[in-house]
Amino acid sequence: KVRPMFQVDISHCKLKTSQRGASLIEVLITMLIVAIGLLGAGGLQLVATRYQQTAQSRGQAINQVMFIAEKIKANASALVAASPPDQASIYLAADGYAAATLAALPADPACGSVISGTAQTACTNMSSAVRDMREWRRSLESLPGGRGSIFSVSSGGVTDPVARQIIVMWNEKQDSEVGTASSPNPAATTDTTCPTPRVAGVRCFSMVVTP
């Protein structure tokens, strides 16, 4: 009998092939786990950014309410001096979101300031109220879609002559925002604390002030 001089260990080759296949599967599983982890981290970062923006907007809204409240308190005599009541002179701008623009207020009285080196006339209580309202609505533009309104306060059918409800309105991203600037979020909710007519996606913060 003639025996072959060389023998090939087939079982050893199959073992190496099997090991290489197992390693590839392990690498793919590891990559899948890493990808899922990265997607989760990205989602958490997006949520954290959204909540940070929401908190910042609400903080600015509170500051804006306090801004005009201090103006009203400093010029409280304008609230009782007007007869008959005048919307601009007694800090009233009872507008819904769509109408609460700077253009809806009376023209700038151009008082109490220096323009191009020329001093303007001194402001009266009434003109100060107009100027304060215009400055306030202009400053609200720092909020996303920021606008503001001021309403009188009634209780039991009686209107308080000096109390005012200040409302700051702004656009706030929803938890599941899917809209764009040109196509608003169709799932946006409506804040019932906002003045009518209400706009979906607009949030409101209000406070009653009595000088």
Side-chain angles (χ1 to χ4, degrees), residues 124-187:
T124 64
N125 290 338
M126 305 305 173
S127 58
S128 289
V130 175
R131 187 188 62 179
D132 291 343
M133 291 288 291
R134 291 182 62 85
E135 289 179 354
W136 180 55
R137 281 196 169 172
R138 187 177 291 111
S139 67
L140 285 168
E141 294 175 358
S142 61
L143 280 165
R147 298 184 182 184
S149 296
I150 301 179
F151 295 80
S152 58
V153 178
S154 299
S155 178
V158 178
T159 300
D160 191 318
V162 294
R164 295 290 179 268
Q165 181 185 17
I166 305 169
I167 301 179
V168 169
M169 302 168 279
W170 72 97
N171 286 316
E172 184 174 284
K173 285 186 175 295
Q174 308 296 295
D175 291 338
S176 56
E177 182 68 75
V178 295
T180 63
S182 58
S183 179
N185 179 13

Side-chain angles (χ1 to χ4, degrees), residues 13 22 29 34 36 45 48 50 63 83 86 88 91 93 98 100 103 106 170 183 190-191 195 203 206-207:
C13 294
I29 292 174
V34 171
I36 293 173
Q45 182 65 31
R50 180 171 295 171
N63 291 336
S83 180
D86 176 76
Y91 295 101
W170 72 97
S183 179
T190 301
D191 189 344
R203 291 291 172 265
S206 66
M207 184 180 75

